[in-house]
């Protein structure tokens, strides 16, 4: 039984609209979107999130095959006030979380992925486009 139909539908419709808008401009979307994470590049972030296979544990829109369910969906991670159940969702906290989750939240099941600071910045830049 689905209890949240509108929430499920709306983001995919919005993304469909965005994809159309991107297709319409030859420059594409990434060049027009500015990262909210200092030093983070949205396109590089997408590449890294794909490469590190975060999608084995997370649903991540825009990442092929990212349909894992041992972690929460990252569908609207850019809209959340808190991540990992209580950490304020700021770019700095997100970058730190991605690098050393256990240091941010002892006992968490999210594993450290061995990211550099720069890689985490790029990934955070991409994640914040997911709203
Ligand atoms: C082995 C499974 C696993 C992998 C691989 C993994 N995660 Fe997670 N992730 C989790 C779990 C479990 C949580 C929930 C942690 C908690 O709240 O303590 C989580 C939480 C998160 C959150 C916070 C989500 C929220 O709604 O609060 C983000 C963001 C995140 N992961 C991003 C990533 C990124 C980016 C990668 C790849 C670099 C990644 N994860 C790889 C399991 C994973």
């Amino acid at each position: 039984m689905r209890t949240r139909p509108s929430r499920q539908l709306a983001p995919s419709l919005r993304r469909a609209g965005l994809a159309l808008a991107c297709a319409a401009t030859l420059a594409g979307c990434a060049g027009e979107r500015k990262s909210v994470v200092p030093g983070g590049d949205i396109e590089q972030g997408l590449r890294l999130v794909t490469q590190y296979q975060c999608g084995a544990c997370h649903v991540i829109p825009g990442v092929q095959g990212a349909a894992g369910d041992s972690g929460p969906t990252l569908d609207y991670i850019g809209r959340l006030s808190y991540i990992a159940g209580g950490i304020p969702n700021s770019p700095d906290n997100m970058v730190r979380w991605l690098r050393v989750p256990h240091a941010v939240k002892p006992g968490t099941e999210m594993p450290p992925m061995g990211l550099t600071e720069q890689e985490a910045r790029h990934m955070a830049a991409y994640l914040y486009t997911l709203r």
Side-chain angles (χ1 to χ4, degrees):
M1 191 175 75
R2 291 193 176 276
T3 52
R4 301 180 305 174
S6 56
R7 202 177 183 184
Q8 308 256 330
L9 189 60
S12 55
L13 285 178
R14 271 206 310 278
R15 273 194 301 280
L18 187 64
L20 281 178
C22 293
T25 63
L26 285 175
C29 261
E32 298 157 18
R33 291 186 296 175
K34 194 161 161 34
S35 168
V36 297
V37 182
D41 179 272
I42 294 168
E43 283 304 307
Q44 297 236 49
L46 172 58
R47 185 178 58 75
L48 288 163
V49 167
T50 307
Q51 181 187 317
Y52 275 90
Q53 303 193 345
C54 312
C57 292
H58 294 283
V59 168
I60 315 173
V63 177
Q64 206 164 16
D69 63 0
S70 45
T73 175
L74 304 185
D75 205 337
Y76 35 82
I77 187 78
R79 254 199 285 152
L80 297 182
S81 305
Y82 296 94
I83 56 171
I87 294 125
N89 189 4
S90 67
D92 279 354
N93 285 347
M94 176 64 84
V95 168
R96 194 162 134 78
W97 167 258
L98 294 177
R99 292 201 65 196
V100 283
H102 52 282
V104 176
K105 182 180 176 186
T108 183
E109 284 174 31
M110 164 115 164
M113 304 286 286
L115 308 179
T116 66
E117 166 89 15
Q118 183 63 75
E119 286 174 326
R121 285 195 173 276
H122 292 326
M123 286 188 185
Y126 179 70
L127 293 180
Y128 281 132
T129 67
L130 305 177
R131 306 178 60 87

